[in-house]
């Protein structure tokens, strides 16, 4: 791999945590049979070969996406810690295949059912933390995670009652905050309570103190 190409790929990795990584930035959409799937498979196979991994890549596609499945003895190494290597490979494959705005295809890089298991675990964690945020009445901040995982959490909690989400931070330190909705009446209750206490003491006697009836001892 040439020095220029290597620098291009390293630069793409540095951009891989962008919040808009998974979004469609415009252009026309590709269709099955347009050659994008074969291009993505050839690129990924070449990268894995240069990484020295004993793997093979299978491909399937539909109208929505192209899925590249990594199999073989070194498939676990291709996943990496918490799927970090898999995410980097997916980012690179999307950048290479969709380098032109026309005929864009969304490329998913997977290994077995890793994505499915990882996504299910992430959604369960997000809902558990959202419930905790509501119960505690305070914001819960999650650990830093890549753009793909943050997007999945935003979507999974979009209709969760009583919370909203937002991302804070920069680069690899970017993380999601789960924010509970404010409860009404929290600050106004004290004033109302004071009024009830006044009524409990009975009507005030505004006559001068000397004119008030004295109680015989």
């Amino acid at each position: 791999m040439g020095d220029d190409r290597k620098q291009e790929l390293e630069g793409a990795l540095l951009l891989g945590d962008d919040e808009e990584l998974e979004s469609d930035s415009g252009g026309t959409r590709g269709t099955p049979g347009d050659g994008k799937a074969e291009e993505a498979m050839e690129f990924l196979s070449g990268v894995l070969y240069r990484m020295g991994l004993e793997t093979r890549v299978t491909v399937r596609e539909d109208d929505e996406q192209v899925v590249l499945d990594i199999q073989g003895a070194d498939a676990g190494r291709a996943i990496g810690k918490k799927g970090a290597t898999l995410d980097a490979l997916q980012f690179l494959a999307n950048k290479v295949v969709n380098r032109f705005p026309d005929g864009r295809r969304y490329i998913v890089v997977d290994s077995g059912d890793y994505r499915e298991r990882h996504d299910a675990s992430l959604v369960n964690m997000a809902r558990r933390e959202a419930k905790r945020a509501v119960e505690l009445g305070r914001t819960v901040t999650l650990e830093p995670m890549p753009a793909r995982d943050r997007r999945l959490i935003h979507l999974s909690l979009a209709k969760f009652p009583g919370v909203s989400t937002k991302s804070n931070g920069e680069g690899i330190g970017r993380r999601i905050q789960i924010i509970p909705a404010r409860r009404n009446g929290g600050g106004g209750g004290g004033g109302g309570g004071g009024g009830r206490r006044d009524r409990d003491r009975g009507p005030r006697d505004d006559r001068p103190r000397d004119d008030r009836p004295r109680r015989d001892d």
Side-chain angles (χ1 to χ4, degrees):
M1 183 180 296
D3 291 340
D4 292 341
R5 182 58 172 164
K6 183 178 180 181
Q7 290 175 359
E8 178 184 347
L9 296 184
E10 288 174 347
L13 279 174
L14 293 176
L15 295 173
D17 198 58
D18 188 351
E19 191 73 41
E20 301 302 322
L21 170 64
E22 306 297 338
S23 66
D24 188 349
S25 58
T28 60
R29 296 179 62 89
T31 58
D34 59 5
K36 296 287 187 178
E38 291 76 11
E39 182 183 4
M41 182 174 66
E42 182 179 351
F43 168 77
L44 181 60
S45 298
V47 172
L48 293 170
Y49 175 77
R50 288 168 175 78
M51 292 172 65
L53 301 184
E54 185 181 339
T55 58
R56 63 183 182 279
V57 179
T58 61
V59 60
R60 65 180 185 274
E61 61 178 322
D62 55 33
D63 291 338
E64 297 297 324
Q65 61 187 14
V66 174
V67 179
L68 304 177
D69 188 29
I70 302 174
Q71 304 171 3
D74 291 330
R77 293 176 59 192
I79 294 174
K81 185 177 181 180
K82 295 183 178 180
T85 305
L86 209 61
D87 288 338
L89 292 170
Q90 178 170 301
F91 175 79
L92 290 173
N94 274 282
K95 282 294 184 180
V96 170
V97 173
N98 296 314
R99 58 190 179 276
F100 302 115
D102 291 334
R104 295 176 60 85
R105 300 293 302 281
Y106 180 52
I107 311 298
V108 176
V109 178
D110 202 353
S111 181
D113 60 350
Y114 174 81
R115 291 288 189 198
E116 183 178 352
R117 290 185 287 106
H118 173 75
D119 290 357
S121 175
L122 200 63
V123 169
N124 288 337
M125 180 276 294
R127 291 175 176 170
R128 184 171 63 248
E129 292 302 312
K131 182 179 179 181
R132 188 164 73 92
V134 172
E135 291 174 347
L136 296 177
R138 61 180 176 85
T139 298
V140 172
T141 302
L142 304 181
E143 292 296 317
M145 60 185 65
R148 179 186 181 277
D149 289 358
R150 293 196 307 272
R151 181 174 181 270
L152 178 62
I153 289 180
H154 285 308
L155 291 174
S156 67
L157 296 183
K159 296 184 179 180
F160 193 96
V163 301
S164 60
T165 62
K166 71 175 183 178
S167 293
N168 276 330
E170 299 293 335
I172 61 174
R174 196 162 175 80
R175 60 185 71 199
I176 285 181
Q177 289 185 318
I178 303 176
I179 307 166
R182 292 187 176 183
R183 297 175 180 175
N184 296 327
R196 287 191 294 272
R197 287 193 294 272
D198 286 342
R199 289 194 295 272
D200 290 342
R201 288 197 294 266
R204 293 180 57 186
D205 191 341
D206 294 327
R207 288 178 294 176
R209 183 173 294 277
D210 292 340
D211 295 336
R212 296 176 186 178
R214 299 177 181 273
R215 189 178 66 179
D216 293 335
D217 294 331

